[in-house]
Amino acid sequence: MNEQHSLLELKGLTKFFGVNKVLDDVDLVINDGEFLTLLGPSGCGKTTLLRLIAGFERPTSGKILMNGKEISHLPPNRRFVNTIFQQYALFPHMNVFDNVAFGLVMKGIEDEVIEQEVFKALEKVKMSQFYARFPSELSSGQQQRVAMARAFINNPKILLLDEPLSALDYKLRQEMQIELKELQKDLGLTFVYVTHDQEEALSMSDRVVVLNEGMIEQVGSPIQIYEEPKNMFVAKFVGEINVFDGMVLKVDDSNFDTVVEGMFYQLRKPKAFEVSRGSKIKVLLRPEDMVVSKVNSAEMDAPENALRGVINHLVYKGRTIDLWIQTAGGNMIMATQFFNEDDPDIIYAVDDVVNVSWIKDWEVILPDA
Amino acid sequence: MHKTPDSFCRTAVLYFIFIWLGVMVFAPNLLVLLASFLTKDAEWYLRLPLNLQNYVALTDTALLEIIVKSFSLSIATTVFCLLVGYPFTCIIARISKDYRILFLMLIIVPFWTNSLVRNYALISILSKDGFINTILLKIGLIKSPLVLLNTNFAVFVGMCYTLLPFMILPLYAVLEKIDRSVIEAARDLGAGSAEVFFKITIPLSFSGIVAGCIMVFLPALTLFYVSDILGGADISVLGTIIRNKFTVDKDWPIGAAISVSLTVFMLLLLKLYFKSGNTVEEERQLW
């Protein structure tokens, strides 16, 4: 990416619908040229945030600045922002050409230029041969492409996308994810993308904003969001995660001792907060960070740093196998194991007794709220 | 074939409807069509021979004058209902559900009162010592009462009052269905309020506009009791003429010829309406 320069600034944005507080004091900087995703469960305020940027709603309080100038009071037709709607919202009484041309016609550009630009835009989304069709004669994937062309032809500073792929089937969604990302790079546009699909958010974005109940839980790169969740909400919302309760026994310079499910562990001190003796913590681990090994009958006790459990359920996924392991402490652990041709242990069955540990230092420590 | 009681009922109902339509609609219309080609008879109303004389008589200048006047009144009524009904319907299609039901009720509930009664009520508003004149005299805007009753204006008011809901309801049916996000998309792409209205709202509600206009225009040609009650003896609509030809002049063939001509005209308008409805329907499949 180019050097980071902030394009849009949201300052203390708050939005009420009646007595419902939908957005609560949101501060956010959107950089020029980045692919930013607003991720959260339904009702978290992500769509409202998008509509505030588009100008369809006015904030109850707070400011929206574009290149330092306040735009909160401007109507949508006077902002340099375009939206791709969830259901595309193509004009049903106009053909593809007229739909895509609409923004330029509104600007009063001459017909010849419009024609060139429209075909250029349709070319980009591979829809030029359909220019005379009406929206009702297009598949949803084609409508999606037209909606994209109709928006970016206006050369907006920011393109807002409101769950644009949610109406497509799985395979098409995968293809369109790649196409959207390519298009974004190609156009060099800033994308603000709303989704509730965490996989989509992680695979497409430069930065992800996790929203919950009108507040920002975490802003960061997909790797940061996945590997270093700041709180329990982010940890649980993004991907699968195992959560263990722990109690701090002893703290030294870089490590601390804790007990998890009756086992002693020495873990690295977290940077984000101070652990103190006697405080309760959560130890978080992704399923793919778990290490599972079968227990030989000869072996009596679990080795150090390993929990003993029984396989409760397993799902074969081709490249990986997902195991649900019931521990002696009553936790259900999910573990994803990658196949290794040389490892005979990979063949698991329900009711197998296993040892479970994790790759050291890959755990995330959060305070127990 | 074995028939269940259920399918017997269905067949019976269908037969009943077809017989009813045949006796009450199809046969009378056929008789009117036949009458329009017969000759007037003082004693028997109708007699042979068949001829086209009745249709030629439609070009009589006195009759043509009334036809033109009646059409003008209908057009004025339609335009007024559209100009008032469209913005009103736009508003009720947008406001919150509770108010929407209230407003629709305010339009529909008066309809449960006989329109004859409602037009009589207009007399007390428009007459010399009626509501409007009393108010205008009280505030001193006029010195002597205005003549409102028994004028073209009174008939126009009565027609608009009676027919406005026939404009609003079809408009509501289409305006309510317009997807909010399509309007937002237009705004997003740089359209101001006027551009949204002319380029999006009107084209998307066109079938409703046509339906509303037909449902106002056609009755406005024939609602003779409105012109009887509010227009007095001098003002006639096409409906008045037809009634007079049958009941006063006892000239059934001419009355029938006017009726048939009007029916053909209506059918042509309806055809136009269905055509416009179809094209919009095709575009709407997406929704």
Side-chain angles (χ1 to χ4, degrees):
Chain A
M1 213 195 313
N2 317 336
E3 62 179 288
Q4 304 250 313
H5 128 246
S6 89
L7 178 63
L8 197 78
E9 245 181 291
L10 311 180
K11 284 188 172 171
L13 272 193
T14 301
K15 178 69 184 174
F16 279 88
F17 286 126
V19 291
N20 285 342
K21 195 186 243 182
V22 189
L23 283 179
D24 190 359
D25 197 22
V26 169
D27 290 301
L28 183 65
V29 174
I30 298 170
N31 296 318
D32 202 3
E34 77 173 330
F35 195 126
L36 183 90
T37 298
L38 306 175
L39 174 68
S42 51
C44 70
K46 55 190 191 298
T47 296
T48 305
L49 194 54
L50 198 77
R51 291 174 61 83
L52 282 167
I53 299 172
F56 300 131
E57 309 281 352
R58 299 284 158 85
T60 308
S61 65
K63 282 183 192 173
I64 303 172
L65 306 171
M66 185 181 272
N67 285 327
K69 264 185 243 150
E70 181 159 8
I71 59 161
S72 336
H73 58 282
L74 291 177
N77 47 329
R78 297 189 40 211
R79 298 185 182 201
F80 299 102
V81 166
N82 285 114
T83 309
I84 293 173
F85 293 83
Q86 195 168 5
Q87 301 296 331
Y88 321 131
L90 296 177
F91 306 126
H93 59 299
M94 296 182 194
N95 64 19
V96 168
F97 183 94
D98 289 334
N99 262 284
V100 177
F102 193 86
L104 301 183
V105 172
M106 287 300 116
K107 280 185 196 152
I109 291 167
E110 48 198 293
D111 290 353
E112 289 154 40
V113 182
I114 289 180
E115 201 178 315
Q116 278 175 18
E117 292 291 315
V118 168
F119 279 105
K120 231 198 276 172
L122 286 176
E123 199 65 50
K124 276 215 172 83
V125 292
K126 301 177 209 124
M127 285 293 294
S128 7
Q129 74 268 40
F130 298 109
Y131 73 95
R133 295 257 188 112
F134 280 88
S136 56
E137 300 165 321
L138 299 175
S139 73
S140 49
Q142 291 170 328
Q143 289 177 35
Q144 166 76 74
R145 293 203 169 97
V146 175
M148 271 156 39
R150 185 178 72 169
F152 72 68
I153 196 173
N154 303 290
N155 219 349
K157 293 234 163 66
I158 301 179
L159 203 58
L160 306 172
L161 302 97
D162 186 6
E163 308 218 16
L165 306 184
S166 63
L168 305 179
D169 63 54
Y170 181 76
K171 187 137 191 307
L172 193 55
R173 199 157 66 222
Q174 303 283 315
E175 283 171 31
M176 291 302 285
Q177 280 182 15
I178 296 166
E179 263 183 52
L180 262 181
K181 186 75 197 165
E182 292 286 314
L183 190 71
Q184 190 250 348
K185 274 193 233 154
D186 183 28
L187 297 165
L189 270 177
T190 308
F191 273 36
V192 177
Y193 189 97
V194 160
T195 185
H196 64 267
D197 181 337
Q198 35 104 3
E199 217 174 290
E200 211 168 271
L202 296 179
S203 61
M204 298 170 79
S205 323
D206 295 319
R207 282 199 305 156
V208 179
V209 178
V210 183
L211 280 162
N212 183 35
E213 292 180 350
M215 285 187 279
I216 293 180
E217 298 280 357
Q218 188 171 355
V219 183
S221 68
I223 295 173
Q224 284 170 331
I225 296 286
Y226 190 76
E227 303 288 349
E228 301 156 34
K230 269 190 181 163
N231 53 45
M232 285 302 289
F233 177 81
V234 177
K236 285 189 164 171
F237 187 73
V238 183
E240 300 287 338
I241 203 151
N242 296 306
V243 181
F244 299 99
D245 291 311
M247 165 81 88
V248 180
L249 299 175
K250 197 178 103 205
V251 185
D252 62 37
D253 288 346
S254 56
N255 298 310
F256 70 96
D257 289 355
T258 183
V259 60
V260 171
E261 285 225 348
M263 299 287 292
F264 284 94
Y265 288 94
Q266 190 175 60
L267 303 176
R268 209 154 47 176
K269 267 192 349 188
K271 293 186 190 98
F273 73 105
E274 205 58 47
V275 286
S276 54
R277 194 165 167 263
S279 65
K280 283 186 174 170
I281 53 159
K282 298 272 188 198
V283 179
L284 279 59
L285 284 153
R286 295 286 176 196
E288 59 274 20
D289 298 342
M290 306 306 293
V291 179
V292 180
S293 60
K294 268 195 185 168
V295 177
N296 296 323
S297 50
E299 206 176 11
M300 289 299 286
D301 293 317
E304 208 184 339
N305 290 343
L307 303 170
R308 179 64 58 89
V310 178
I311 295 178
N312 188 281
H313 183 67
L314 55 84
V315 175
Y316 175 76
K317 284 192 171 168
R319 269 187 305 164
T320 61
I321 186 163
D322 289 346
L323 307 171
W324 278 263
I325 300 158
Q326 180 87 52
T327 65
N331 267 320
M332 186 68 86
I333 301 174
M334 193 184 161
T336 299
Q337 298 296 293
F338 292 84
F339 283 107
N340 179 352
E341 297 289 331
D342 307 327
D343 187 356
D345 268 359
I346 194 68
I347 299 144
Y348 296 101
V350 171
D351 290 339
D352 277 358
V353 180
V354 289
N355 289 324
V356 186
S357 58
W358 63 82
I359 302 165
K360 197 165 160 27
D361 293 344
W362 284 20
E363 71 278 347
V364 172
I365 312 291
L366 289 177
D368 192 347
Chain B
M1 200 170 86
H2 181 73
K3 283 202 170 174
T4 62
D6 185 47
S7 79
F8 172 76
C9 276
R10 209 177 306 158
T11 317
V13 167
L14 277 176
Y15 270 110
F16 177 75
I17 290 171
F18 276 118
I19 291 167
W20 178 272
L21 281 175
V23 173
M24 303 305 244
V25 180
F26 192 67
N29 273 308
L30 217 58
L31 288 177
V32 171
L33 185 66
L34 182 66
S36 74
F37 293 106
L38 288 169
T39 309
K40 181 185 171 184
D41 184 90
E43 207 177 327
W44 296 96
Y45 299 120
L46 297 168
R47 67 179 163 84
L48 286 168
L50 291 169
N51 62 72
L52 287 171
Q53 209 46 48
N54 305 310
Y55 286 94
V56 177
L58 294 184
T59 53
D60 171 59
T61 42
L63 189 57
L64 270 183
E65 200 183 327
I66 294 171
I67 291 174
V68 168
K69 273 191 181 165
S70 186
F71 266 79
S72 316
L73 179 70
S74 280
I75 291 168
T77 305
T78 309
V79 169
F80 180 84
C81 285
L82 183 61
L83 290 182
V84 171
Y86 199 91
F88 179 81
T89 315
C90 278
I91 293 166
I92 52 173
R94 299 265 172 84
I95 54 176
S96 76
K97 264 230 160 71
D98 306 347
Y99 286 107
R100 200 186 296 175
I101 290 163
L102 178 74
F103 278 119
L104 283 175
M105 276 296 148
L106 286 177
I107 297 160
I108 293 164
V109 169
F111 254 63
W112 297 340
T113 313
N114 190 313
S115 61
L116 212 56
V117 177
R118 281 183 291 127
N119 276 289
Y120 273 112
L122 275 179
I123 293 180
S124 66
I125 294 172
L126 297 171
S127 66
K128 218 171 82 183
D129 49 1
F131 180 74
I132 293 179
N133 275 320
T134 312
I135 297 273
L136 290 179
L137 284 169
K138 275 260 166 64
I139 60 171
L141 218 63
I142 52 169
K143 291 276 179 333
S144 56
L146 298 168
V147 180
L148 297 171
L149 206 58
N150 299 337
T151 61
N152 275 317
F153 174 73
V155 179
F156 171 71
V157 169
M159 289 286 186
C160 290
Y161 176 58
T162 309
L163 296 172
L164 183 61
F166 289 100
M167 180 64 83
I168 288 175
L169 295 177
L171 282 178
Y172 177 77
V174 292
L175 283 171
E176 191 248 359
K177 271 195 222 139
I178 294 180
D179 187 350
R180 279 297 296 163
S181 65
V182 170
I183 306 276
E184 285 181 349
R187 302 228 61 184
D188 188 71
L189 294 166
S193 305
E195 285 152 331
V196 169
F197 184 72
F198 288 111
K199 299 215 173 221
I200 309 294
T201 313
I202 289 200
L204 286 181
S205 59
F206 192 70
S207 68
I209 295 175
V210 174
C213 286
I214 288 174
M215 289 178 79
V216 171
F217 184 76
L218 296 179
L221 284 175
T222 51
L223 280 181
F224 59 83
Y225 60 84
V226 177
S227 75
D228 280 1
I229 294 167
L230 300 167
D234 293 340
I235 292 149
S236 303
V237 292
L238 214 44
T240 324
I241 304 292
I242 296 171
R243 186 206 43 191
N244 287 349
K245 287 291 173 200
F246 276 98
T247 61
V248 182
D249 303 348
K250 310 284 187 208
D251 194 343
W252 285 22
I254 296 260
I258 302 173
S259 296
V260 169
S261 308
L262 195 59
T263 308
V264 168
F265 176 71
M266 286 181 181
L267 287 175
L268 287 176
L269 280 190
L270 282 176
K271 196 177 172 218
L272 190 83
Y273 162 61
F274 282 123
K275 226 176 117 192
S276 82
N278 281 346
T279 47
V280 175
E281 198 49 51
E282 280 160 20
E283 287 160 21
R284 278 191 158 274
Q285 275 171 9
L286 170 63
W287 312 104

